[in-house]
Each structure stands twice: as structure tokens, then as C-alpha cells.
Amino acid sequence: MLVLGGALSYHFTFQVEKIYKPERCSAPVRIYSGNVSAYLVLDFMYSTNNNTGVVSVSGTYRENNKVVGTVRREVAYSWTENKNEVRLHSTSINKMSNDESLPDNVMDDILPDFYVYPDKNITYSILPQDEKGFLFTVGQRPIFFCAH
């Protein structure tokens, strides 16, 4: 009886986590523009139940190979789907003031507006790659791979 109770408890907990725990994937991203580079990690957490999520953006910003700032923000978003395309809409931006040291006008030089300002959109094609993760593309061009 004790084993049956334990098994039922585990099954119930697994089902509840599956419903309420968001899915996630992570992507390392490197951005280069002239003498500027950024080494970022995008951590997507999302719920397919209500088409919402949060992407955490963290990393370093360099000029002439010297770190001059850090990035640490969370972008809350919702999304809509149309065939193979997913349109993400930023609903709020939460900057970690103790960690982030770059102003928005620097961030919008290296990142799309979706990651910098609320109420902005970005459209990706998101292609599942078996159980390994997702390939984010714009048109036919791969942008990054987001691993589970």
C-alpha cells in the first residue's frame, strides 16, 4: 500500500509540474559589429498553455576586446503562431539594476528592439530539432539553436 501511495504521489507531482512548470531552452549568442562584441546567453522559458514566456538575456559587452559592460535583463513576452512563424511580443522588460550596466541606446545597437523595449515584436520560424531543442530562423537564415 505504501508503494502504491508513493507511486500515485509521484505521478500526480509529475503531471502538475508538466502543467505549471514552463518549458525552457538556452542559446549562446555572439554578436559582432566593428570593434564591439557581445557574448550573451538567451534562456527562454515558456508555457504552451497560455502562449507566454520570459527570456533571460545575460552576458558581457566588449569594445576592443575589453569588457565594458554587463547585460542582465528579463523580457516577458506573449506569442502568436501562423504556420511555421512565431511572432513574439515583448510585454515588459525587467533590468537587473545591480548587474546590468549598459543603457538602452547601447543595447539597441546590438539587439533587436524586442529584447530592449516593451511593446515590440520579433518574428522567428522555430523549427523543432527532435528532442534536442529548436532552431530559430529568419526566413531561410538560421539565427541560433536553442537547446533543451
Side-chain angles (χ1 to χ4, degrees):
M1 187 62 123
L2 182 61
V3 172
L4 179 60
L8 286 174
S9 175
Y10 174 79
H11 177 72
F12 176 75
T13 301
F14 178 75
Q15 293 302 320
V16 167
E17 265 190 19
K18 195 172 166 184
I19 292 169
Y20 294 107
K21 184 179 176 186
E23 297 182 54
R24 46 184 338 140
C25 70
S26 296
V29 178
R30 293 188 178 206
I31 301 163
Y32 299 96
S33 177
N35 66 339
V36 169
S37 61
Y39 302 105
L40 305 174
V41 174
L42 304 177
D43 287 314
F44 286 87
M45 294 157 278
Y46 55 95
S47 170
T48 55
N49 291 337
N50 55 9
N51 288 18
T52 60
V54 173
V55 59
S56 172
V57 182
S58 58
T60 58
Y61 177 87
R62 300 168 183 258
E63 289 179 6
N64 299 316
N65 283 334
K66 292 184 182 180
V67 175
V68 296
T70 58
V71 179
R72 179 79 169 91
R73 61 180 53 207
E74 292 178 344
V75 180
Y77 65 92
S78 61
W79 82 81
T80 56
E81 297 178 50
N82 184 13
K83 297 183 183 178
N84 290 340
E85 289 188 342
V86 177
R87 181 176 184 223
L88 304 178
H89 178 79
S90 60
T91 55
S92 68
I93 309 294
N94 182 24
K95 300 175 201 168
M96 307 301 159
S97 57
N98 292 342
D99 295 332
E100 183 160 311
S101 61
L102 297 169
D104 286 344
N105 65 336
V106 171
M107 295 301 300
D108 69 14
D109 283 342
I110 61 169
L111 287 172
D113 285 350
F114 167 83
Y115 296 99
V116 182
Y117 305 109
D119 204 30
K120 298 294 180 181
N121 300 309
I122 192 165
T123 301
Y124 292 114
S125 291
I126 302 176
L127 308 171
Q129 304 294 302
D130 295 323
E131 296 296 319
K132 296 176 184 167
F134 304 95
L135 183 62
F136 282 60
T137 67
V138 174
Q140 298 296 317
R141 182 176 182 200
I143 303 299
F144 57 85
F145 177 75
C146 199
H148 287 290

